[in-house]
Amino acid sequence: MKKTILAVLLCLSLLAGCSGAPAPLPEAEQPDSSPVIAYVPLDDRPDNVGRVEYLAESLGYTLHMPEEWMYKTLLDGQIEDYYAENGLEIKSWTGQSGYPALLSRWVLEQEAAGCDRYILSMDQLLYGGLVASRLAETTTEQDGATLALSDLLESLLSALAADPNNEVWLLDSVMRLAPTVGYNGGTLEEYNALRAFGAAPRQTLSADQLTLDRIRETYDTDAGGKNLLDFGNDSAMYDAAVGYMEHRRNKLALSGELLEAIDRLGHDRFHVLIGIDDSSSEDCIQKNEIAYLNARLREGDVILSGVDDLAFKAVAKLYLSEVGWSGASVNVQYFGGTETQPACDYDYKPLTEIMTEHLDYFHLTEEETPSFADLYVLVLTQPEDAGQKQQYISDLIRVLNQRLEANLPVILIDAGNGQYGTAFHDALTKKAELGKLLSYAGFLDMAIVTGTALSHGVARYAHLTQGKTSQAEESAFCKTLSDSILKDFCYKNVVREDILACVRSDLGGDANNFCRPELDRDAITARLTAGMDAATASVLKNLEHSNLLIALKPHVDTTLAGWGTVTLSNYRFPWARAFEIDMDIAVSPLSEPHKAVLGIYYQ
């Protein structure tokens, strides 16, 4: 009977919509009245800093982080520029990565100050960041002396376990298949050779064989016993491969120690989330490593695809636990026909399996009948038939608009991996009310878009059902949705191509590092600013004339407000490379709901 009633209500809403009047939003809370999360980020890229701040603030949290120089990653040749530009002094121990001993000390200072919520990247706390973790050693430096990372790990976990009020999220990763080009002298030739080496299928070990030594033995040969270390007369590549295998073993050993320490400490306030970095659908070198870690996970701890979305997942799960989240039903629809395949070359499972794992993690139950679902996920996959691209786009937008016009909560994912060019984004800008979305993801590698979209979307859905929000929280939400849409629609497939051409052709430089050779970065930033000002105009118009869901009673009533003005400034390249950008976003207070007619207004 309940489902029948819900179906009737949904049909009525699809015909007429639910356009509740906006409730007045309270002013922003004072900063010291918001619950604080002490956060040590994976590195300083936007997905690990700014967007995590937006998400946390949209849920009513205040995020505390160490100073940037303590967790900053610097590519080759960037140390002098970064330190000079930020008024910092280069010291004997200054390097290209973060500083584990200093970061551990910072965490303990937060504990002494009474903090009881933590999201901690172990790749940063143990190695100095994601890139540095691909060259994992076993020691670090503390006060001029050598300190074993296992000792640092033990002391930090023991201190946090001593406080029963702590909720601690520990984020770790399974090392990707190759180290980083342009860091610590890494070359593209080395990257390609080691990625092929790592991607080769390995022998599958049974449960009792999953020891560090046995796993290390499988690194050398493929599943058929072929010697993978035969690089002919290339002794440098042989040495690189041997070093690569030792770094993998070092990192796997300490990840295992992390899990065993938590189990030994017996503290139920630790939550472990491990991400699989750039992978392969083959039975690659990661296969036995994943099995080794899985065997040590406690109930509730997980290994999922993706690394740059780990903090998003942790913030969302922390919030869900604190509001007593009991789950929801979700209707997932794919458009494009390739959902049963990996979404890109860097994922290790079909998209449907990655989706199911993430739905389970957030306690979302798949509902095949749309009218019975609480929220909706629409996914554009790579095209099964290249000749049907426009049809796939049209079909998705038709369903999307049915949901949005009924004021239903929708998560949108572009998993097309660039196969649609700008056509999908252009159509969305002209024909869909983008500001009504719960979340959107499409930028960066497909391996992380599912976790990014679902963590933001489910957290937003849960927040709206609480019935309490503020101007500050809504502003932060508008920032994170704007950031996600604008960087994907406007930078990834439009402005970035111009920047790449400018750097490579006009300036004769390296688009992956503007400091080697040293380029006119002011000129590159000016070109970025001009390009983004032009490319974002139509998308900003869409957002600023969109309505926003600000309170939600599923299938009963929805409260709307109109978006305010979105202002962009201070465009920049965080790692002095063209791959990603960052920008400052300001959002004016919300307005009365807009009454634009989709398909007419935006065109």
Side-chain angles (χ1 to χ4, degrees):
M1 176 61 72
K2 178 183 177 183
K3 287 193 171 185
T4 302
I5 293 172
L6 291 178
V8 172
L9 288 170
L10 176 58
C11 291
L12 291 173
S13 69
L14 287 172
L15 290 172
C18 305
S19 53
L25 292 174
E27 294 299 320
E29 294 179 327
Q30 295 300 315
D32 58 2
S33 68
S34 302
V36 171
I37 302 173
Y39 173 51
V40 174
L42 182 62
D43 53 39
D44 57 296
R45 288 172 297 155
D47 265 14
N48 298 317
V49 180
R51 292 198 66 206
V52 182
E53 287 184 292
Y54 294 156
L55 177 59
E57 290 169 3
S58 75
L59 301 172
Y61 295 111
T62 296
L63 210 60
H64 282 182
M65 291 185 292
E67 294 182 61
E68 183 188 69
W69 66 270
M70 294 174 66
Y71 60 83
K72 173 78 175 173
T73 293
L74 294 160
L75 301 180
D76 292 345
Q78 294 183 357
I79 292 177
E80 290 79 6
D81 285 348
Y82 175 78
Y83 273 70
E85 291 166 3
N86 290 276
L88 300 171
E89 179 185 352
I90 295 179
K91 299 184 179 181
S92 61
W93 43 265
T94 298
Q96 294 180 243
S97 64
Y99 302 96
L102 295 179
L103 290 166
S104 179
R105 184 176 300 165
W106 180 86
V107 173
L108 296 178
E109 289 171 354
Q110 309 314 302
E111 178 65 11
C115 185
D116 54 17
R117 295 175 180 85
Y118 297 87
I119 297 177
L120 307 176
S121 168
M122 303 313 295
D123 284 326
Q124 181 67 249
L125 275 164
L126 296 173
Y127 309 107
L130 181 63
V131 170
S133 76
R134 296 165 185 161
L135 302 174
E137 300 294 347
T138 59
T139 63
T140 189
E141 182 180 286
Q142 184 178 54
D143 299 327
T146 298
L147 173 67
L149 289 177
S150 57
D151 292 340
L152 184 151
L153 176 67
E154 180 71 25
S155 62
L156 180 63
L157 294 180
S158 296
L160 294 175
D163 184 349
N165 295 316
N166 282 341
E167 291 286 343
V168 184
W169 291 86
L170 303 175
L171 314 181
D172 199 6
S173 69
V174 176
M175 188 186 294
R176 79 174 190 177
L177 300 184
T180 304
V181 177
Y183 180 87
N184 198 42
T187 65
L188 182 59
E189 178 187 21
E190 183 180 281
Y191 170 89
N192 289 332
L194 293 179
R195 191 171 202 285
F197 177 86
R202 298 318 204 268
Q203 175 190 355
T204 300
L205 300 179
S206 60
D208 59 346
Q209 295 175 317
L210 287 169
T211 65
L212 289 171
D213 289 341
R214 190 70 185 88
I215 291 172
R216 171 62 183 83
E217 290 173 9
T218 67
Y219 289 169
D220 295 12
T221 57
D222 68 12
K226 177 184 175 182
N227 179 18
L228 295 171
L229 288 171
D230 184 5
F231 293 98
N233 295 322
D234 193 341
S235 60
M237 196 59 69
Y238 174 86
D239 291 342
V242 171
Y244 163 86
M245 292 187 293
E246 290 310 306
H247 295 317
R248 294 199 75 90
R249 189 191 187 283
N250 289 342
K251 186 173 188 331
L252 180 62
L254 202 53
S255 293
E257 286 187 38
L258 165 69
L259 299 176
E260 291 166 3
I262 293 171
D263 190 53
R264 184 179 67 257
L265 290 167
H267 190 26
D268 63 359
R269 297 298 187 177
F270 284 117
H271 313 275
V272 178
L273 177 54
I274 301 175
I276 301 172
D277 204 357
D278 294 352
S279 188
S280 168
S281 58
E282 302 293 336
D283 285 340
C284 66
I285 199 169
Q286 295 173 328
K287 173 179 58 177
N288 291 315
E289 297 173 341
I290 294 169
Y292 176 85
L293 296 175
N294 259 321
R296 286 158 176 75
L297 292 180
R298 304 164 307 157
E299 184 177 356
D301 297 336
V302 296
I303 299 179
L304 295 170
S305 175
V307 168
D308 288 317
D309 57 348
L310 288 174
F312 300 150
K313 294 171 186 172
V315 171
K317 285 286 283 188
L318 172 62
Y319 177 76
L320 295 177
S321 68
E322 294 195 340
V323 298
W325 173 253
S326 59
S329 61
V330 58
N331 177 252
V332 183
Q333 289 181 262
Y334 298 94
F335 303 82
T338 60
E339 61 269 20
T340 58
Q341 304 170 20
C344 70
D345 292 338
Y346 299 100
D347 222 339
Y348 78 117
K349 285 183 178 180
L351 180 56
T352 49
E353 292 186 30
I354 298 296
M355 178 67 73
T356 297
E357 289 180 346
H358 282 82
L359 293 179
D360 289 345
Y361 185 61
F362 291 115
H363 301 298
L364 296 170
T365 304
E366 285 200 64
E367 173 55 68
E368 293 185 4
T369 305
S371 56
F372 296 159
D374 294 314
L375 67 159
Y376 303 85
V377 178
L378 305 183
V379 186
L380 182 68
T381 74
Q382 293 192 52
E384 182 177 37
D385 180 351
Q388 295 295 310
K389 288 181 182 179
Q390 190 55 53
Q391 189 61 53
Y392 299 141
I393 292 172
S394 297
D395 289 346
L396 184 150
I397 291 180
R398 174 179 53 79
V399 175
L400 173 63
N401 282 335
Q402 288 176 352
R403 304 284 183 263
L404 294 180
E405 288 169 7
N407 297 327
L408 297 172
V410 181
I411 295 168
L412 179 61
I413 298 175
D414 179 1
N417 204 26
Q419 295 299 305
Y420 296 86
T422 61
F424 182 46
H425 301 154
D426 291 344
L428 285 168
T429 302
K430 292 176 181 177
K431 299 178 180 179
E433 197 173 0
L434 295 171
K436 255 192 190 177
L437 294 170
L438 287 183
S439 66
Y440 170 82
F443 191 71
L444 300 179
D445 295 326
M446 294 301 101
I448 69 168
V449 297
T450 302
T452 297
L454 287 178
S455 55
H456 282 78
V458 72
R460 176 66 177 174
Y461 175 82
H463 192 52
L464 293 179
T465 60
Q466 299 304 303
K468 292 182 288 186
T469 188
S470 70
Q471 287 281 3
E473 291 162 5
E474 293 306 319
S475 175
F477 170 75
C478 290
K479 288 178 183 179
T480 195
L481 185 59
S482 299
D483 186 278
S484 186
I485 290 173
L486 291 166
K487 286 178 180 175
D488 197 38
F489 285 29
C490 305
Y491 184 69
K492 181 179 178 181
N493 289 322
V494 180
V495 178
R496 185 164 64 183
E497 293 304 312
D498 179 64
I499 296 297
L500 292 173
C502 170
V503 172
R504 292 168 178 168
S505 301
D506 299 350
L507 302 177
D510 182 358
N512 292 313
N513 190 343
F514 301 157
C515 298
R516 284 210 168 171
E518 188 73 38
L519 302 179
D520 185 347
R521 280 179 282 160
D522 289 340
I524 302 172
T525 302
R527 190 152 181 160
L528 167 66
T529 301
M532 287 296 287
D533 284 347
T536 59
S538 60
V539 183
L540 289 175
K541 182 179 179 181
N542 181 306
L543 291 171
E544 292 172 352
H545 291 85
S546 288
N547 288 314
L548 179 73
L549 306 180
I550 61 171
L552 188 62
K553 294 180 181 178
H555 304 290
V556 178
D557 189 24
T558 299
T559 305
L560 300 178
W563 274 60
T565 302
V566 181
T567 305
L568 310 176
S569 62
N570 190 27
Y571 293 105
R572 54 197 181 273
F573 299 94
W575 278 16
R577 63 177 185 175
F579 182 73
E580 77 268 272
I581 64 167
D582 205 3
M583 56 198 175
D584 294 341
I585 304 175
V587 180
S588 66
L590 304 182
S591 67
E592 294 292 316
H594 301 297
K595 301 186 182 299
V597 179
L598 294 175
I600 297 176
Y601 185 90
Y602 297 116
Q603 292 179 347

